[in-house]
Amino acid sequence: MTAGRPRFRQGAGLAEWISIPLLLLIWHAAATILQDPTVPSPVAVVAELVAQVVDGRLLEDFAKTLARVAAAFAVSMLLGCAIGALLGRVRFADGLFAPWIVIGLNIPAIVVAIVCYIWMGLSEIALVTAVAINKTPLVATTMREGVRALSAEYRELAQVYRMSPWRRLRLVELPQLMPYLLTAARTGLSLIWKIVLVFEVLGSDGGVGFRIGIFFGFFDMTAILAYTLAFICVVFAVEYGAMRPLEQRILGWRPAQR
């Protein structure tokens, strides 16, 4: 069983490397067979992407969208972690606010966006607030489970050694919470990307979603896919350049599960 794990990981790594080229090959074959303007080839999409970059419009739109994503992510993570810690430690608070969390997890995001836009106007604050409201319950739920799963034995050990609250948090509790924190960050970020774009289509003065909405009005599928391709590149850069190295650095001590 153990000897088979390295071979399994090598196979998974090889499959991961050929995954995107395989997708591009299928895409190119579909475009060649269909010969439809709504199914442009990867070559046409890349050419459009380069044109948008040279024009400068794409970089400006992505700067606005990424700033909104970063702000909403920071707010939702801070609030979600604080709320999750409270609900995980205080049973009365958990019982009192559990229905609120359920409502926050299930209320349609578009409703929250419309309400925030009506109350605050079509502003950056309204957009970031709407996204944070939608994602904070998810982070809070994940962190609540993490706090509940904290080992009582480690807590008693910290008391025996008379650790200060800060030292206990840093050396005992935070290492146990890191898997939950990383899960909350990855799932929250993956959803924030999508919601920010939807809210930009609904009402904003720029950004990737705003630009895609304009392209949709002209049925410009090539430009839509060019922006989508650029967005995918950003997502891959965050995942493979930040999230996975961070996860490996923090959780690399754990035995392999695959």
Side-chain angles (χ1 to χ4, degrees):
M1 181 72 71
T2 304
R5 285 178 180 172
R7 184 176 300 174
F8 180 87
R9 288 197 296 269
Q10 290 175 2
L14 177 62
E16 197 169 4
W17 275 104
I18 67 175
S19 175
I20 298 302
L22 177 62
L23 177 61
L24 292 175
L25 182 62
I26 295 173
W27 178 6
H28 181 74
T32 302
I33 294 172
L34 295 176
Q35 292 293 317
D36 190 323
T38 61
V39 187
S41 68
V43 176
V45 171
V46 171
E48 177 66 22
L49 174 61
V50 172
Q52 293 288 344
V53 171
V54 172
D55 184 63
R57 182 184 302 166
L58 184 142
L59 298 179
E60 180 182 352
D61 289 333
F62 266 84
K64 290 184 178 181
T65 296
L66 293 178
R68 291 161 180 164
V69 168
F73 177 77
V75 172
S76 61
M77 286 298 295
L78 290 174
L79 289 178
C81 288
I83 294 172
L86 175 65
L87 300 185
R89 289 190 178 277
V90 182
R91 183 171 299 178
F92 178 78
D94 185 36
L96 180 63
F97 294 110
W100 296 23
I101 296 294
V102 173
I103 294 173
L105 288 171
N106 292 281
I107 191 169
I110 195 69
V111 173
V112 177
I114 292 174
V115 170
C116 288
Y117 280 148
I118 291 175
W119 284 349
M120 305 179 188
L122 297 176
S123 63
E124 297 291 317
I125 295 177
L127 193 152
V128 172
T129 300
V131 177
I133 290 174
N134 275 280
K135 291 305 110 200
T136 296
L138 176 64
V139 178
T141 300
T142 303
M143 295 309 299
R144 177 181 62 183
E145 297 307 313
V147 171
R148 288 176 176 175
L150 289 174
S151 172
E153 288 80 5
Y154 287 145
R155 189 181 304 118
E156 293 174 359
L157 183 64
Q159 292 175 352
V160 169
Y161 282 95
R162 298 180 180 179
M163 290 184 178
S164 65
W166 165 247
R167 186 176 176 82
R168 182 174 60 187
L169 173 65
R170 183 170 62 89
L171 298 180
V172 177
E173 296 179 353
L174 196 56
Q176 298 179 71
L177 291 174
M178 285 310 300
Y180 297 91
L181 185 61
L182 290 174
T183 299
R186 176 176 275 113
T187 56
L189 186 58
S190 66
L191 293 173
I192 285 174
W193 290 120
K194 305 168 188 175
I195 293 180
V196 167
L197 262 65
V198 172
F199 290 0
E200 286 178 342
V201 173
L202 183 64
S204 69
D205 61 349
V208 176
F210 172 80
R211 193 67 58 190
I212 289 177
I214 294 177
F215 293 148
F216 171 73
F218 290 97
F219 292 95
D220 190 348
M221 182 60 74
T222 303
I224 291 174
L225 291 180
Y227 264 66
T228 303
L229 181 60
F231 199 81
I232 291 173
C233 291
V234 173
V235 170
F236 271 105
V238 173
E239 174 67 19
Y240 289 94
M243 295 301 297
R244 291 204 180 186
L246 181 63
E247 186 178 42
Q248 181 62 32
R249 180 180 179 85
I250 295 175
L251 304 179
W253 56 271
R254 300 192 306 173
Q257 299 297 321
R258 294 182 296 174

